[in-house]
Amino acid sequence: MTRWLKTLGYSVICAALSMGALAEKTAVNTAHPAGFVARIELDGPIGPAAAEYFDNAMQRASNDGATAVVLRLDTPGGLSESMRQIIASILAAKLPVLGYVAPGGARAASAGAYILYACHIAAMAPATHLGAATPVSLGGSTPMPSPWQGDQPAPSKSTDKASSDKTAPAGGQAANDAESNKVLNDAIAYIRSLAQLRERNPEWAEQAVRGAATLTATEALDKRVIDFVAADTTTLLTQADGRNVRVGTQMLTLKLANLPVRDYTPNWRTRFLAIITNPTIAYVLLLAGVYGLILEAFHPGAFLPGIVGGICLLIGLYALQLLPVDYAGLALMVLGIGLLITEVLVPTAGAVGIGGVISFVIGSIMLFNTGVPGYAVNLGVIAGIAFCAIALLALILRWVMRSRQTQLFSSDVLMLQATGQLLQAVTAGGESWAHVQGERWRVHCEAALPAGARVRVLRRQGLMLWVTPA
C-alpha cells in the first residue's frame, strides 16, 4: 500500500513538472510570436476597389500579427478620393508600411507618387520611375503649371493696374483658373505635408505636382525622394532592417531581416468591385440594362430581357455612384437612346435617328472624361456600339422605303384590279355570290352568267361588288 502511494506521489509530481514546463514554453511562444511581413500589391489604376482591398488587407495583416507591411506599387494613377483613403489608412496604421515600386518597369505615377510619399519607408526597384502627380479635374482639364517652379522666386504681386486689366481673363475663364489653382495648390500642400512628415524632399514633391516632374529610381535616391533602391523584396527587408521609423506617436526600430513574406490577395468582393468599376464594364452594363428594359416593354411577358436588364441596370448604377461621372454625358446618352426609340416608333426618314446616334456617341465620350489613366470608356467599345446603332437605323430606314414600294394588299384601288369566280349563276341585272381575293362577296352583274364564270370587279358600293365578265 505504501509502495502504491509513493508511486502515485511521484506520478503527480512528474505530471506537475511537465505541465509547468509546457506552460512556460507556451508563455514564451505567446510573448515572442514568430513574425512575418505582409505583402499587399496595388497593380493598375487606383480606384474604389483598390482602396477597399488595401483597407481590408491592412486590417487582416494587423489581426494576424504581422510585423510590417510591404506595399508593392505599379500604378499609372487613379482617383483622388481613393488615393486619399489609402493614405489615410497608412497614416493611421499601427504597422510600418514599406512602399516599394516594383518590379522593373513599374511606375508610381500620379496618385502612386502621393502614396509612396506617405509610406514609412520608400523604395524602388531598378528601372522604375515615379512622379507626374499633377491633379486632373473632373472635366479632364489639367491645371497649367506656373512659370516658376521649385526654389525659384515667385513673380511679384505688385503689377500695374492697367496691365492687369488688359491681361485679366473673362469671367468664365477666371472662374476656371481659380478652380484649377485651388485644386493645384491643395495637391501641392498635401504632398508637401507628406514629404515633411516622412522627412523627404518637399521641393521635388512640389515640382512633381506643379510641373509633372518624374524621376528614375537612381535619381529619386539622389534627391532624397526615396530611402534606397532594392532589387527584390528580400533585399528591401534587409536594407530596411535596423532603421528607425515613426508609427503614430512611437519610434520603432525595424527588425525585418530574414522574416517570411505572406501575400494578402483580394477577396471575391474586391475582385467583383474591380470588374464592375471598370468604366468600360460599367458603361456596357448600363446599356445592357436600358436595352433589356426596352425589349421587355416592346415584348411584355418575355421576362428574360426585363430580368437581365434590371439586374444589369442596378449593377451599372451602383458602379456609376462609385466613379466620377459627368452627368451631362449621361444625360446626352439617355437623350440619344430616347431619340433612337422615337425613330423606331415614328419613322422620320432618319432625321431623329441620326440626331440620337450623335447625341449617344458624344455622351458616351463625355461620360467618364476625367483624364485619369484607366478611367475612361474604351473608344473601340463606343465606336462598335455606335456602328451597331447606325446599322440598325439604316435597316429601319430600308424597311420603311421598301414598305412604300410594296404592292397593296387591301384597298378599293386594289379591288378594282381583282378578278373572281361566281359561286352561283346570275341573271341579267341580278345578284349572286362570288369568290374574290379569297373572300366571299355579294355581287351585282348586268349580264347573265353561269356558276363558275370568271368576273372582274368594276366598283364597290358598301358590301356589294359590281362585276362584269372577265
Side-chain angles (χ1 to χ4, degrees), residues 176-187:
N176 291 336
D177 290 344
E179 177 78 16
S180 299
N181 290 332
K182 180 179 179 181
V183 173
L184 183 63
N185 292 331
D186 177 73

Side-chain angles (χ1 to χ4, degrees), residues 16-30:
L17 292 175
S18 300
M19 292 180 64
L22 180 61
E24 182 180 358
K25 183 178 180 181
T26 303
V28 170
N29 290 338
T30 304

Side-chain angles (χ1 to χ4, degrees), residues 32 37 49 117 129-130 162 165 173 179 183 191 203 228 236-237 246 266 301 307 328 337 351 381 404 437 442 455:
H32 303 284
V37 175
Y117 259 92
H129 64 278
L130 84 160
D165 291 340
Q173 184 64 34
E179 177 78 16
V183 173
I191 199 169
E203 286 74 20
F228 48 81
L236 169 70
L237 298 181
R246 181 178 295 278
I307 294 173
I337 294 174
V381 175
R404 293 184 177 182
Q437 290 187 340
R442 188 169 183 82
V455 293

Side-chain angles (χ1 to χ4, degrees), residues 144-215:
M144 294 300 294
S146 300
W148 60 279
Q149 295 180 356
D151 53 0
Q152 299 177 4
S156 175
K157 294 184 179 179
S158 59
T159 56
D160 182 62
K161 183 178 184 300
S163 62
S164 63
D165 291 340
K166 292 179 182 179
T167 58
Q173 184 64 34
N176 291 336
D177 290 344
E179 177 78 16
S180 299
N181 290 332
K182 180 179 179 181
V183 173
L184 183 63
N185 292 331
D186 177 73
I188 291 173
Y190 189 51
I191 199 169
R192 285 184 67 93
S193 66
L194 295 175
Q196 293 168 1
L197 176 66
R198 303 305 182 200
E199 297 181 355
R200 300 196 183 106
N201 190 336
E203 286 74 20
W204 185 86
E206 180 174 346
Q207 292 180 16
V209 176
R210 189 182 297 279
T214 57
L215 290 176

Side-chain angles (χ1 to χ4, degrees), residues 3-341:
R3 189 192 317 174
W4 283 104
L5 290 175
K6 289 182 180 180
T7 304
L8 181 61
Y10 287 141
S11 300
V12 171
I13 293 173
C14 291
L17 292 175
S18 300
M19 292 180 64
L22 180 61
E24 182 180 358
K25 183 178 180 181
T26 303
V28 170
N29 290 338
T30 304
H32 303 284
F36 69 93
V37 175
R39 180 163 53 192
I40 303 173
E41 300 181 353
L42 291 181
D43 292 327
I46 303 297
E52 181 173 312
Y53 158 58
F54 181 79
D55 288 343
N56 292 338
M58 284 289 293
Q59 184 174 1
R60 288 163 51 199
S62 178
N63 294 338
D64 293 344
T67 303
V69 174
V70 172
L71 175 59
R72 191 182 67 77
L73 290 169
D74 183 10
T75 174
L79 304 179
S80 174
E81 183 177 352
S82 300
M83 173 200 73
R84 290 176 181 266
Q85 182 178 344
I86 292 175
I87 292 176
S89 298
I90 294 174
L91 298 180
K94 299 179 180 179
L95 300 175
V97 179
L98 286 68
Y100 182 40
V101 184
R107 56 179 170 167
S110 191
Y114 292 82
I115 295 174
L116 188 63
Y117 259 92
C119 294
H120 302 90
I121 295 290
M124 298 173 66
T128 58
H129 64 278
L130 84 160
T134 304
V136 180
S137 65
L138 180 63
S141 60
T142 303
M144 294 300 294
S146 300
W148 60 279
Q149 295 180 356
D151 53 0
Q152 299 177 4
S156 175
K157 294 184 179 179
S158 59
T159 56
D160 182 62
K161 183 178 184 300
S163 62
S164 63
D165 291 340
K166 292 179 182 179
T167 58
Q173 184 64 34
N176 291 336
D177 290 344
E179 177 78 16
S180 299
N181 290 332
K182 180 179 179 181
V183 173
L184 183 63
N185 292 331
D186 177 73
I188 291 173
Y190 189 51
I191 199 169
R192 285 184 67 93
S193 66
L194 295 175
Q196 293 168 1
L197 176 66
R198 303 305 182 200
E199 297 181 355
R200 300 196 183 106
N201 190 336
E203 286 74 20
W204 185 86
E206 180 174 346
Q207 292 180 16
V209 176
R210 189 182 297 279
T214 57
L215 290 176
T216 64
T218 305
E219 294 169 345
L221 181 61
D222 294 339
K223 290 184 177 293
R224 296 186 301 108
V225 175
I226 62 175
D227 297 297
F228 48 81
V229 177
D232 51 38
T233 304
T234 303
T235 308
L236 169 70
L237 298 181
T238 302
Q239 295 190 38
D241 189 69
R243 290 178 176 260
N244 296 321
V245 296
R246 181 178 295 278
V247 180
T249 58
Q250 297 180 347
M251 290 296 296
L252 299 179
T253 301
L254 300 180
K255 301 294 183 181
L256 305 178
N258 302 321
L259 288 183
V261 177
R262 183 187 301 178
D263 289 316
Y264 283 76
T265 58
N267 55 21
W268 69 268
R269 170 185 164 81
T270 303
R271 293 177 181 175
F272 175 73
L273 192 62
I275 292 174
I276 66 171
T277 53
N278 182 299
T280 301
I281 301 298
Y283 173 76
V284 172
L285 285 172
L286 194 64
L287 291 185
V290 171
Y291 283 116
L293 295 180
I294 291 173
L295 288 176
E296 181 66 29
F298 283 144
H299 302 280
F303 296 114
L304 181 61
I307 294 173
V308 175
I311 294 173
C312 291
L313 185 62
L314 289 176
I315 295 176
L317 291 175
Y318 174 73
L320 289 184
Q321 63 97 19
L322 296 176
L323 296 172
V325 178
D326 190 332
Y327 290 99
L330 184 62
L332 283 173
M333 285 181 58
V334 174
L335 175 62
I337 294 174
L339 292 177
L340 288 173
I341 297 175

